[in-house]
Amino acid sequence: MDYEKLFRLDGQRAVVLGAGGGIGREAARALAAQGAHVVCADRDTAAAGETASLAGASAEAYEIDLLDQDAVHRAARELGELDTVVLTAAANVRKRLLDYSREEFDRVLALNLGATFETLRAFGKGMTERGRGSITVFSSIRSLLVEPGQGPYAATKAGIVQLVRTAAAEFGPSGVRVNAVAPGVVETPLTEPIKADPAWYQAYADKSALGRWAKAGELAGAVVYLSSPAASFVTGSVLFVDGGWTAVDGRYSPPGA
């Protein structure tokens, strides 16, 4: 093992699906900084182009609608041999179950779980045939812990974990690794409704052991790690990057503690 290149991705080709902003944008920038040629894929081509510009000369933009399964499989063919696939795109409708419509449920399910399923199938096929590759999908702390108003979102994030584990078991004999990253609360466009409420925002900050929210860039290291030689024996894992959220049992500190 060449420890000087433990996290380097020189000569590798990567695609980040959902690279138009938030965690996806920072993941693309981080992968490029470690030497990868990065395809910044997003439905918003202008945003994907902006990410590619930020990532540098080794990056390019690509338009994709992850809700179109044919487009996902077409991308897997058009982008050629890839070493790394990262899927960050997600949707959430914050409503209690009794207020949820079936249309809203299907919308969250289609992107969070449906796109994960198609990504694993489309890109996993070529990787298993070539005998190498890494796929990283984003789950959430909600795969373990729920709160009112996040039922369908939590269900999809739990489902992602099981899809990742299954893919790891099925692709592993061919040399392909599949893992998930599970963030805590992160400042992204998806969490704007929470940030807009100061009390809600602070309550989430107080829940983590570090007492704050994460910046999107703080998830990029997990992506680089799982994509790099440093994680060559890591597959079927869920890496929690949550500031200690899942380690803390409630917000109450007993007297004398």
Side-chain angles (χ1 to χ4, degrees), residues 65-117:
D65 181 358
L66 291 169
L67 293 175
D68 181 346
Q69 65 182 57
D70 291 334
V72 176
H73 287 262
R74 184 167 59 252
R77 294 192 301 270
E78 291 180 350
L79 295 178
E81 294 190 8
L82 293 165
D83 301 283
T84 295
V85 174
V86 179
L87 174 61
T88 65
N92 193 6
V93 176
R94 297 176 185 278
K95 288 184 177 180
R96 292 177 180 248
L97 292 176
L98 297 182
D99 298 323
Y100 236 87
S101 71
R102 181 54 188 262
E103 185 276 331
E104 290 168 330
F105 175 82
D106 289 343
R107 175 152 44 95
V108 173
L109 189 74
L111 182 58
N112 296 2
L113 206 52
T116 298
F117 174 69

Side-chain angles (χ1 to χ4, degrees), residues 108-252:
V108 173
L109 189 74
L111 182 58
N112 296 2
L113 206 52
T116 298
F117 174 69
E118 295 302 341
T119 295
L120 291 171
R121 293 203 313 137
F123 292 94
K125 184 177 186 297
M127 285 184 167
T128 55
E129 290 172 352
R130 293 188 295 274
R132 59 183 172 83
S134 167
I135 302 175
T136 301
V137 180
F138 269 71
S139 180
S140 167
I141 57 171
R142 296 299 169 212
S143 64
L144 287 181
L145 307 171
V146 302
E147 69 176 12
Q150 296 223 59
Y153 178 81
T156 61
K157 292 300 184 176
I160 284 171
V161 170
Q162 295 301 74
L163 278 179
V164 162
R165 287 171 173 160
T166 302
E170 294 180 357
F171 300 173
S174 298
V176 179
R177 299 183 298 104
V178 187
N179 294 287
V181 176
V185 290
V186 186
E187 294 192 356
T188 70
L190 193 65
T191 55
E192 285 293 342
I194 301 173
K195 292 168 62 179
D197 184 327
W200 196 2
Y201 179 90
Q202 189 58 47
Y204 271 24
D206 293 340
K207 176 63 178 72
S208 77
L210 296 180
R212 63 177 178 84
W213 287 50
K215 301 292 185 182
E218 292 182 287
L219 278 297
V223 173
V224 169
Y225 164 66
L226 291 172
S227 304
S228 75
S232 60
F233 202 61
V234 179
T235 195
S237 293
V238 182
L239 177 54
F240 283 85
V241 186
D242 63 358
W245 183 296
T246 52
V248 179
D249 180 16
R251 303 184 191 124
Y252 175 67

Side-chain angles (χ1 to χ4, degrees), residues 5-14 27 30-38 83-84 134 177 223-230:
K5 299 180 179 179
L6 196 59
F7 297 98
R8 295 295 302 177
L9 301 169
D10 301 287
Q12 293 197 24
R13 281 179 54 82
L31 292 170
Q34 294 302 316
H37 175 94
V38 183
D83 301 283
T84 295
S134 167
R177 299 183 298 104
V223 173
V224 169
Y225 164 66
L226 291 172
S227 304
S228 75

